[in-house]
Amino acid sequence: ADVWSIGCVLAELFTGKILYKGQNNNAMLHKIIELRGKFPNKILKKAASELRHQHFDENSVFTLITLDDVTGTELKRVVRSDKPTKDMLSVLNPQNQFYSDDTKRSVIQLKDLVEKCLTLDFTKRIKPEQALRHPFLTS
């Protein structure tokens, strides 16, 4: 059993917004990279060949494909960031408002659980049994 979708659903239920909203696979992969960082090479090597070659170069560097708003021309931009460029806490709590210490603690615990559910390397991702014992769910 895997918990990736549970992490997405938890974040989406909390915020009321789709976590990885995108028009296509390329846009969604970009959103994932923004929040989780670069995909590990060993994971990309296991990905379907078509998907890997469509979105990543031979060095596992992601290429973002967008359309020019005026001309409709396809634009390609290499995304070299190894680390996330967005913080999960700012996604869960964009106004950076905490109404109490208990709320702050809960949001920080939620962030921790969501990040553990959304670990890119599935061999390091939190297991369902561990997730059920996470402080966000038990306190």
Side-chain angles (χ1 to χ4, degrees), residues 70-82:
V70 177
T71 65
T73 306
E74 190 175 89
L75 304 171
K76 293 184 178 185
R77 179 171 60 93
V78 173
V79 178
R80 295 193 185 276
S81 179
D82 288 344

Side-chain angles (χ1 to χ4, degrees), residues 4-66:
W4 178 274
S5 57
I6 297 298
C8 291
V9 169
L10 284 171
E12 291 168 359
L13 285 172
F14 187 79
T15 64
K17 296 179 181 174
I18 297 172
L19 185 60
Y20 297 125
K21 188 175 183 180
Q23 303 280 336
N24 52 46
N25 285 342
N26 187 268
M28 286 185 274
L29 285 168
H30 184 245
K31 298 288 185 192
I32 292 169
I33 291 168
E34 284 181 325
L35 270 174
R36 304 306 301 143
K38 182 181 177 184
F39 280 89
N41 289 336
K42 72 178 185 175
I43 301 301
L44 289 177
K45 286 179 183 172
K46 292 180 181 182
S49 178
E50 181 182 333
L51 176 78
R52 187 175 60 245
H53 294 299
Q54 191 175 14
H55 304 290
F56 298 88
D57 70 13
E58 63 279 353
N59 297 315
S60 301
V61 176
F62 179 73
T63 301
L64 176 63
I65 302 168
T66 57

Side-chain angles (χ1 to χ4, degrees), residues 66-128:
T66 57
L67 295 178
D68 183 277
D69 290 336
V70 177
T71 65
T73 306
E74 190 175 89
L75 304 171
K76 293 184 178 185
R77 179 171 60 93
V78 173
V79 178
R80 295 193 185 276
S81 179
D82 288 344
K83 302 288 182 197
T85 56
K86 289 189 176 179
D87 176 58
M88 186 65 72
L89 189 57
S90 66
V91 170
L92 295 173
N93 187 19
Q95 304 302 318
N96 198 23
Q97 290 181 328
F98 296 106
Y99 300 101
S100 69
D101 287 342
D102 286 342
T103 302
K104 182 176 183 177
R105 187 177 324 103
S106 292
V107 173
I108 290 170
Q109 288 173 343
L110 174 61
K111 171 195 175 282
D112 182 66
L113 178 57
V114 168
E115 287 181 338
K116 287 177 177 174
C117 289
L118 301 179
T119 299
L120 293 175
D121 183 343
F122 60 88
T123 65
K124 296 178 181 176
R125 198 173 293 153
I126 194 170
K127 304 292 182 258

